[in-house]
Amino acid sequence: MTAGPAEDTRTRLLQTALRLFTEHGVEGTSLQMIADALGITKAAVYYHFKTKAEITEAVAEPGVRDLDELVLRAAAQKRRGTQVDLLLEGFVDLVIRHRALVALFSSDPGLVRAIEKSAHGGMEGFGQALLGILSGPDPTPAARVNAMVALTGIAMAGGSPDLARLSDDVLRTELLDVGRRLLGRPRRRTPTAVSTL
Amino acid sequence: MTAGPAEDTRTRLLQTALRLFTEHGVEGTSLQMIADALGITKAAVYYHFKTKAEITEAVAEPGVRDLDELVLRAAAQKRRGTQVDLLLEGFVDLVIRHRALVALFSSDPGLVRAIEKSAHGGMEGFGQALLGILSGPDPTPAARVNAMVALTGIAMAGGSPDLARLSDDVLRTELLDVGRRLLGRPRRRTPTAVSTL
DNA sequence: GTCTATATTAAGATAGAC
DNA sequence: GTCTATCTTAATATAGAC
């Protein structure tokens, strides 16, 4: 992560790719479109990334990293209530921090498949882990549906263009509130200082 | 709509296309993949549909139709409480009826774009209409977030492979319950009869 | 670091035989 | 109704000049 002039195009490239991915989907975005948006040629794009898959992974990486970390931290808690609270607050924070990305994650089959092939057990692993913690051991159908609606709803709402005008603070407050209601957690005014990550 | 042997392949084709769309996304599904899955050639596929867009539209059509009808029925109600109740119940029914399709709708950029170009004002029109009714006139941020989480969460949960094993009845009951809670509507379910997967 | 030019593959789509 | 064969276009990707 040396911040030099050499990284400038790379950074712009990833930002542009994310934007195009959210507009057209991963599979619907060609390297030509990315190159055009940057005012360079396809060949120049290939100087920075060997394959399109590499671009996709690099775009998703920050979100995957944070999510991975969050799941580990939550799983390390002893009491289930603490696990759920930490996971919910951390997930909302993550959604706010990576608004566009998370919406892509929860929806775009192209992104999900790309991640699948790269690092860990893919998105499924994360989904199962999150749902497992949120719905608890031996969950009722109600608990499973609640957890699923909470997770996907928070992710989609966070990335929704319809709510893009809401400030981070307002959106975070409301998403937390919704999540607590769905998961049967006590509602609080100020979120406990669970993390700064 | 003459039900003859001529329509058999067409029907199988649409079922197969929907399945592949949910697995790989619309843009990630080629006519070759559809043809292979059916054991025919691309050319045979083209006998039934002139373009890929036509296939996409035909796959989405039942859902679009039902959604359109639902919005019209809801908007025709006078009292807002009635509008919300009707919309919520209708939407959950729709999700149950078209499980896989609705998840595609709320996520796949390829599908959304395809619909965009075809008939009405596209998905945006529906989204705005649904959210407008559910969040009410001059809504607070809380109301907007609640409506968004309810809609997207219900849609995603309905199409989720993780919940595919839940029966229609159980899933409908739970989705309705979640929706009522999020939208501040009275809950009408039988208190303890949650069980039996 | 970016270019031009090109190789390769697969996509959507059509023509015409059976 | 399905086939073989083919067209056209656009995608990923590479080679080599500047």
Side-chain angles (χ1 to χ4, degrees), chain B residues 43-84:
Chain B
V45 171
Y46 274 104
Y47 171 80
H48 297 278
F49 296 92
K50 265 199 274 291
T51 63
K52 183 183 178 181
E54 234 178 60
I55 298 179
T56 310
E57 287 163 31
V59 165
E61 196 269 347
V64 173
R65 231 173 122 75
D66 286 358
L67 197 50
D68 198 25
E69 209 176 301
L70 175 61
V71 170
L72 289 180
R73 262 195 307 139
Q77 305 302 313
K78 286 194 177 147
R79 309 186 62 245
R80 208 183 86 76
T82 315
Q83 285 190 337
V84 172

Side-chain angles (χ1 to χ4, degrees), chain A residues 30-31 42 46 51-52:
Chain A
S30 68
L31 298 188
K42 272 194 295 181
Y46 274 104
T51 64
K52 183 183 177 181

Side-chain angles (χ1 to χ4, degrees), chain A residues 74-102:
Chain A
Q77 305 301 312
K78 287 195 177 149
R79 309 185 62 245
R80 209 182 86 75
T82 314
Q83 285 190 339
V84 172
D85 288 341
L86 193 149
L87 199 60
L88 176 60
E89 290 171 32
F91 189 68
V92 169
D93 277 348
L94 191 152
V95 166
I96 298 289
R97 207 177 320 124
H98 305 289
R99 280 204 186 190
L101 222 202
V102 179

Side-chain angles (χ1 to χ4, degrees), chain B residues 128-151:
Chain B
Q128 303 293 15
L130 289 165
L131 289 171
I133 293 176
L134 289 188
S135 57
D138 202 14
T140 62
R144 297 177 64 202
V145 171
N146 284 343
M148 179 66 75
V149 171
L151 269 186

